[in-house]
């Protein structure tokens, strides 16, 4: 991966070059274009030929790294391969060309598709109702927390506090704040899961809900979840489950049966729709029976004749949380994946995701330090402990991985692990890919011991070297200035 740096398009610019060739115009511009729109001075726009512009953008495209190019073990992100058949179905003309303002009589098929997806998610999770509209996991969390707030309000008191374990994803406290709650952090137990005895210490009449990720961000199954649900319910509080890690459970566990009240899923993680670079995604939310009244509008139903109708008239609803019917294209892709896999296929995907993560865990645990020894499911988290003594940091390891042409794992998350390296291989990777990764990780660990300087200056072979990421985020250079 020794790519040269592609210049800016402005640096390629030469005066008078054009990307097209057309015959000389034989009429005055102003005969066709309103005078006030004609520009004499084109400003500082680059001037390049067609072949130059095509090569420029192709070169930039080659800088990208994606699941289609190679292994992408970002923990928590579930970067599984997205089957291309999903794109095909989402591009079917009937879907592609339907207008969001079409009369409902004319898009019965689209409504049926949404209802079918809701029903399959219900079957998988055990929740009778789903809303498909949230655009991402975090948006699902907000929707869920607003529903919990509304339920509590309807029974007289919205309460004040949401409890969140210290291993949680940062979106959990953010969503709770957005929904008007204060957050209290609960420490996980020494084995990496939340203990019911700890939860009891934090319970009082102000607690609206507890948000729990299961399996949590250590990849550890929350084994006391049923007992925790029980003590919460006794306290008049709800259990919210962050189901972004449902790829470790699908086909095996129905969260509704564990006592969960509200759950979101990440279709763009678990059900193979593309993500990264800001979406679009989808974070549907499932709820128990008695939350039906607070679901966001509109709710899709069938009348007695089987016709799909769209119900906006719901006085206790939390209201609209998204325009139209959400990211419809993403929903088509997720349904395609679900139908393609079938019940048995989904179970097998779960098994392989867990097997792959444990294969990496077993093969690296004698090289890298495992801070939590409890068995993990779909991802594994190592700490900086084994290489810190060489003066090497987690970021140095991650940057060095780039030199081997592999995307690094998630780093410095979850926060409860010092210098975390969080690896999630997903079910779509082959043994050969995993073996290459394992060998690379061992080699890098050896380098940390024998040549730490090499790692501290990594990456060596990428188009740009180590960037000042803080400066880049705080003072992005968005305007081209010609250097004198
Ligand atoms: C990814 C993730 C989220 C947030 O999902 P987005 O779609 O990125 O908003 C929340 N919780 C967990 C555990 C996650 O892994």
């Amino acid at each position: 991966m020794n790519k040269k740096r592609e210049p800016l398009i402005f640096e390629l610019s030469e005066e008078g070059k054009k990307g097209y060739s057309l015959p000389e115009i034989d009429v005055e511009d102003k005969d066709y274009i309103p005078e006030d729109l004609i520009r004499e001075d084109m400003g500082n726009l680059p001037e390049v030929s067609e072949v130059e512009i095509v090569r420029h953008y192709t070169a930039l495209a080659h800088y990208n790294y994606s699941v289609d190019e190679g292994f992408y073990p970002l923990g928590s992100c579930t970067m599984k391969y997205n089957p291309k058949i999903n794109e095909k179905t989402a591009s079917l003309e009937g879907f592609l060309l339907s207008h969001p303002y079409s009369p409902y009589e004319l898009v019965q098929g689209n409504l049926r598709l949404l209802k079918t997806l809701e029903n399959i998610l219900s079957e998988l999770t055990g929740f009778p109702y789903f809303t498909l509209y949230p655009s991402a996991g975090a948006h699902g969390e907000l929707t869920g927390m607003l529903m919990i707030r509304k339920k509590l309000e309807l029974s007289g008191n919205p309460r004040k506090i949401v409890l969140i374990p210290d291993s949680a994803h940062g979106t959990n406290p953010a969503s709770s704040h957005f929904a008007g709650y204060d957050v209290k952090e609960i420490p996980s137990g020494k084995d990496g899961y939340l203990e019911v005895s700890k939860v009891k210490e934090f319970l009082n009449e102000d607690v609206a809900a507890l948000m729990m990720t299961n399996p949590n961000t250590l990849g550890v199954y929350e084994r006391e979840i049923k007992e925790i649900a029980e003590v919460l319910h006794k306290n008049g509080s709800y259990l919210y489950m962050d189901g972004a890690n449902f790829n470790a459970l699908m086909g095996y566990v129905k969260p509704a049966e564990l006592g969960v009240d509200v759950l979101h899923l990440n279709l763009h993680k678990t059900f193979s729709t593309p993500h990264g670079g800001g979406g679009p995604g989808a974070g549907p939310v499932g709820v128990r029976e008695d939350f039906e009244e607070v679901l966001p509008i509109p709710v899709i139903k069938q009348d007695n004749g089987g016709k799909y109708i769209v119900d906006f008239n719901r006085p206790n609803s939390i209201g609209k949380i998204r325009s139209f019917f959400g990211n419809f294209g993403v929903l088509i892709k997720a349904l395609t994946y679900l139908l393609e896999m079938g019940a048995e296929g989904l179970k097998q995907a779960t098994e392989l995701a867990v097997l792959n993560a444990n294969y990496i865990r077993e093969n690296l645990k004698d090289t890298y330090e495992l801070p939590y020894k409890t068995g993990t499911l779909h991802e594994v988290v190592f700490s900086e402990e084994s290489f810190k003594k060489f003066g090497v940091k987690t970021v140095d390891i991650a940057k060095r991985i780039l030199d081997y042409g592999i995307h690094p794992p998630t780093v410095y998350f979850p926060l409860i692990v010092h210098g975390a390296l969080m690896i999630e291989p997903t079910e779509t990777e082959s043994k050969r890919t995993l073996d290459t990764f394992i060998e690379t990780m061992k080699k890098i660990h050896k380098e940390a011991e024998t040549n730490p300087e090499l790692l501290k200056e990594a990456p060596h072979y990428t188009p740009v070297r180590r960037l000042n990421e803080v400066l880049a985020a705080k003072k992005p250079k968005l305007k081209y200035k010609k250097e004198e």
Side-chain angles (χ1 to χ4, degrees):
M1 201 186 12
N2 202 348
K3 294 174 185 165
K4 71 172 194 333
R5 189 183 86 83
E6 176 66 14
L8 297 175
I9 186 91
F10 294 98
E11 293 165 355
L12 295 171
S13 177
E14 281 175 276
E15 206 174 319
K17 279 199 173 176
K18 288 194 171 96
Y20 62 89
S21 63
L22 290 171
E24 232 7 88
I25 193 162
D26 59 0
V27 291
E28 291 282 325
D29 282 357
K30 65 175 163 24
D31 294 345
Y32 288 92
I33 307 172
E35 206 136 0
D36 54 336
L37 292 183
I38 296 177
R39 280 208 255 165
E40 293 302 332
D41 175 17
M42 292 303 282
N44 184 21
L45 289 178
E47 296 174 85
V48 288
S49 70
E50 178 175 332
V51 60
E52 283 168 338
I53 201 161
V54 168
R55 286 191 182 151
H56 177 68
Y57 282 106
T58 305
L60 292 184
H62 287 167
Y63 280 8
N64 274 340
Y65 190 86
S66 66
V67 271
D68 287 352
E69 187 172 339
F71 187 42
Y72 214 124
L74 268 186
S76 204
C77 296
T78 316
M79 303 302 283
K80 61 172 76 175
Y81 173 74
N82 311 130
K84 296 300 167 253
I85 184 77
N86 297 353
E87 301 299 323
K88 199 120 185 145
T89 52
S91 314
L92 288 173
E93 228 174 47
F95 294 133
L96 204 62
L97 300 182
S98 48
H99 194 279
Y101 279 124
S102 304
Y104 301 128
E105 290 76 31
L106 299 185
V107 289
Q108 287 286 303
N110 291 4
L111 298 177
R112 182 176 159 206
L113 179 138
L114 295 173
K115 205 70 207 166
T116 307
L117 178 58
E118 280 179 22
N119 291 342
I120 294 178
L121 297 181
S122 289
E123 178 62 31
L124 274 171
T125 58
F127 291 99
Y129 300 105
F130 258 89
T131 177
L132 302 176
Y133 307 143
S135 303
H139 195 194
E141 292 167 25
L142 176 64
T143 305
M145 292 317 290
L146 288 174
M147 283 195 273
I148 286 177
R149 188 175 186 95
K150 187 78 189 203
K151 275 303 278 183
L152 289 166
E153 262 169 18
L154 288 171
S155 57
N157 176 8
R159 302 193 173 193
K160 298 195 179 104
I161 294 167
V162 172
L163 303 176
I164 300 183
D166 55 2
S167 61
H169 196 273
T171 50
N172 289 188
S175 307
S176 303
H177 274 298
F178 255 80
Y181 287 110
D182 288 332
V183 169
K184 266 215 177 110
E185 189 179 281
I186 315 188
S188 316
K190 63 172 176 16
D191 292 322
Y193 58 87
L194 195 58
E195 291 158 7
V196 63
S197 54
K198 204 78 208 160
V199 175
K200 278 185 187 158
E201 287 173 28
F202 282 78
L203 282 183
N204 60 46
E205 63 206 22
D206 285 332
V207 174
L210 183 146
M211 282 184 103
M212 176 190 262
T213 307
N214 191 24
N216 63 30
T217 58
L218 294 165
V220 172
Y221 188 80
E222 289 290 351
R223 53 198 72 188
E224 297 191 7
I225 185 169
K226 276 187 178 167
E227 294 76 10
I228 290 172
E230 249 167 61
V231 299
L232 283 166
H233 292 154
K234 259 195 211 127
N235 191 56
S237 320
Y238 290 110
L239 177 59
Y240 182 99
M241 182 174 134
D242 178 333
N245 293 337
F246 194 58
N247 59 318
L249 305 180
M250 56 180 184
Y252 280 92
V253 177
K254 293 188 177 186
E257 292 172 359
L258 303 174
V260 174
D261 300 291
V262 181
L263 158 107
H264 85 264
L265 300 172
N266 278 30
L267 299 190
H268 47 290
K269 289 177 181 168
T270 307
F271 301 118
S272 91
T273 74
H275 64 300
V285 181
V287 291
R288 295 187 93 84
E289 191 74 36
D290 59 324
F291 275 71
E292 198 250 358
E293 57 174 339
V294 296
L295 283 169
I297 48 173
V299 169
I300 301 167
K301 293 180 183 166
Q302 270 179 294
D303 69 12
N304 292 337
K307 195 175 121 184
Y308 291 94
I309 49 174
V310 178
D311 182 9
F312 281 89
N313 184 17
R314 304 176 63 81
N316 288 341
S317 162
I318 59 163
K320 224 165 180 338
I321 49 118
R322 178 58 222 266
S323 51
F324 306 111
F325 296 96
N327 282 330
F328 188 67
V330 174
L331 304 176
I332 302 171
K333 293 176 197 183
L335 181 62
T336 307
Y337 177 79
L338 284 162
L339 294 177
E340 189 198 0
M341 297 293 278
E344 280 311 307
L346 291 173
K347 274 181 102 159
Q348 203 185 3
T350 302
E351 289 161 13
L352 288 174
V354 173
L355 179 67
N356 282 358
N358 280 280
Y359 184 72
I360 290 180
R361 178 190 158 99
E362 281 308 302
N363 278 284
L364 286 181
K365 72 171 196 225
D366 297 330
T367 313
Y368 289 83
E369 171 76 15
L370 258 185
Y372 289 92
K373 309 281 189 268
T374 324
T376 50
L377 294 180
H378 65 300
E379 60 197 356
V380 53
V381 184
F382 295 102
S383 78
E384 64 189 2
E385 205 49 44
S386 66
F387 49 81
K388 201 172 68 178
K389 53 183 179 271
F390 311 129
V392 168
K393 298 197 189 97
T394 297
V395 62
D396 305 324
I397 302 272
K399 295 291 182 194
R400 183 62 178 156
I401 295 173
L402 291 169
D403 280 337
Y404 290 92
I406 300 176
H407 196 287
T410 294
V411 291
Y412 298 106
F413 177 77
L415 303 176
I416 50 171
V417 172
H418 293 293
L421 273 164
M422 183 196 209
I423 302 165
E424 179 179 16
T426 86
E427 78 278 6
T428 51
E429 298 304 333
S430 68
K431 180 169 178 295
R432 189 191 330 183
T433 301
L434 301 184
D435 284 336
T436 306
F437 176 71
I438 289 162
E439 270 165 44
T440 307
M441 290 301 285
K442 285 185 176 166
K443 204 155 147 189
I444 291 174
H445 204 280
K446 194 91 211 151
E447 288 173 349
E449 189 178 349
T450 54
N451 191 358
E453 291 312 311
L454 182 75
L455 269 64
K456 283 186 227 167
E457 284 162 23
H460 300 269
Y461 306 129
T462 47
V464 289
R465 300 284 301 279
R466 200 176 291 206
L467 299 171
N468 186 334
E469 288 161 10
V470 177
L471 193 67
K474 287 193 169 163
K475 289 191 180 167
K477 241 199 223 168
L478 300 175
K479 222 168 177 179
Y480 174 68
K481 265 209 217 90
K482 206 167 191 162
E483 276 163 42
E484 299 304 327

